Amino acid sequence: MENLVTNLLGIHFPIIQGGMGNISDPNLAAAISNAGGLGTIGVGTTSVEECDRKISTMMENTDRPCCVNIPVSVHPEVSRIVEMVIRKEVPVVSLSAGNPAKILPRLKEKDIKVICVSSTVKQAKKAADAGADAIVCEGYEAAGINSLNESTTMTLIPQVVNSVSVPVIAAGGIADGRGMAAAISLGASGVQMGTRFVATKEAMFHRNYKESILKATDESTIIIGRPANKIRRILKGNYADKLSEIEDGPIEMFMEKTGEEYHEIGAVEGDTDNGFVNSGQIAGLINDCPSVAELMETMVTEAKETLKGSIGIL
């Protein structure tokens, strides 16, 4: 499925793994790269030393292109992370959650491909003007930290495609070949997924997390944090109820209770009474747990058949 994104990144399928912050699994990322996509380690708020270890594990387990996601305004030592990915010769970096302008030139001078995550046309244009090689446009259907703008993927993608000259990658609300075909029809050259990769054989998350995705319906996620202007999409549950109760209170408490420590408690330890799990709205469509390779092969086949079928209707 060769196109602008596969040629740019040197991958086989235009499928990219979203950054998963502190719960990022280097073996899952390597499996995605080995299967022809672009596996990604998200640094979140993880220590530089732990990030180094995870990236080393990812790169030792694949000889294919892989990626590190840096949330610009989230990690306390962004400069050290940037220098580390340069030293380790990571081929692709994605920048999110902040202005990439100061970081992007340093990466580009080392011939690193840079993807910038945007949630508005304005952000996408600024990133492209600053030298981004590709733009990930994330609608608010997506899991985890989200944009206050709350634009949907379907409305955001064509507007960004019309506004930038670099390849656009769709994120939020995609879990199968039909979603991939829809994104391509809107002008995207690839897709980014997070929730769908949670429910795969190689993902080393707690079984409670996987099972909650498999049991989810279209009404199983909730947006928290609107009163604090810090919105996040997570799965409903006991801890989510607690967060809803405190989101009107002091922002310091809300920020503490939605920190990565509590993300790890939910996703890695499986304790959803005392921690949360991120999930996109598309979770209700996910009802199996294939290998990464099986998932991507199936998606691409389904996307091609869907696109052919759409042309046939016309």
Side-chain angles (χ1 to χ4, degrees):
M1 201 170 186
E2 184 177 341
N3 68 10
L4 293 173
V5 165
T6 60
N7 291 337
L8 172 70
L9 303 177
I11 57 180
H12 189 56
F13 299 134
I15 300 173
I16 296 171
Q17 178 189 8
M20 295 181 175
N22 290 37
I23 69 164
S24 290
D25 177 0
N27 293 302
L28 172 61
I32 291 168
S33 288
N34 287 334
L38 185 73
T40 302
I41 289 291
V43 303
T45 59
T46 307
S47 70
V48 175
E49 293 72 25
E50 178 65 7
C51 288
D52 192 313
R53 185 193 68 78
K54 285 187 175 183
I55 294 167
S56 293
T57 300
M58 174 178 68
M59 296 183 73
E60 287 166 4
N61 284 284
T62 185
D63 59 0
R64 302 296 303 277
C66 52
C67 177
V68 172
N69 169 251
I70 304 174
V72 176
S73 64
V74 174
H75 198 280
E77 298 185 89
V78 168
S79 296
R80 287 186 65 195
I81 293 290
V82 168
E83 294 307 314
M84 180 188 67
V85 300
I86 290 171
R87 174 174 51 81
K88 299 182 82 66
E89 299 183 344
V90 175
V92 185
V93 168
S94 69
L95 302 175
S96 61
N99 188 345
K102 292 183 179 180
I103 299 171
L104 210 153
R106 175 64 176 151
L107 297 169
K108 293 294 292 178
E109 73 180 19
K110 296 297 181 179
D111 293 324
I112 294 172
K113 301 298 183 185
V114 181
I115 302 168
C116 290
V117 181
S118 304
S119 56
T120 67
V121 171
K122 183 178 180 180
Q123 289 175 359
K125 289 173 71 175
K126 282 188 173 181
D129 290 344
D133 294 291
I135 304 293
V136 166
C137 290
E138 187 171 76
Y140 101 120
E141 300 96 323
I145 296 172
N146 245 308
S147 168
L148 295 175
N149 192 51
E150 298 193 13
S151 291
T152 65
T153 303
M154 188 168 185
T155 58
L156 183 61
I157 295 301
Q159 293 182 71
V160 172
V161 168
N162 286 350
S163 302
V164 301
S165 59
V166 298
V168 174
I169 298 158
I174 300 164
D176 65 2
R178 292 172 298 174
M180 188 176 186
I184 291 170
S185 296
L186 292 170
S189 298
V191 298
Q192 176 177 285
M193 302 191 301
T195 304
R196 173 66 267 201
F197 283 126
V198 171
T200 56
K201 290 178 180 177
E202 291 90 343
M204 292 293 102
F205 303 118
H206 197 280
R207 67 177 181 274
N208 290 349
Y209 187 10
K210 291 188 174 186
E211 288 174 2
S212 65
I213 296 290
L214 296 176
K215 293 176 181 177
T217 71
D218 60 312
E219 299 180 293
S220 292
T221 68
I222 184 173
I223 288 283
I224 55 168
R226 285 192 178 100
N229 285 334
K230 298 287 183 180
I231 69 172
R232 178 190 290 268
R233 187 177 295 281
I234 62 176
L235 275 177
K236 293 178 179 178
N238 292 337
Y239 193 77
D241 292 341
K242 296 175 185 176
L243 293 176
S244 296
E245 291 171 2
I246 66 169
E247 65 180 357
D248 287 309
I251 189 171
E252 294 80 10
M253 178 181 291
F254 179 78
M255 294 302 292
E256 177 195 347
K257 296 300 182 181
T258 54
E260 284 297 301
E261 173 189 350
Y262 295 94
H263 188 195
E264 293 179 66
I265 290 171
V268 179
E269 298 178 21
D271 181 359
T272 53
D273 287 329
N274 296 294
F276 64 89
V277 289
N278 291 333
S279 174
Q281 281 185 307
I282 203 65
L285 188 67
I286 301 169
N287 55 23
D288 64 346
C289 193
S291 70
V292 166
E294 290 169 340
L295 169 63
M296 291 203 289
E297 291 280 358
T298 300
M299 277 189 64
V300 170
T301 299
E302 185 179 34
K304 289 179 177 179
E305 291 174 351
T306 300
L307 291 167
K308 285 181 182 178
S310 298
I311 293 172
I313 290 172
L314 299 175

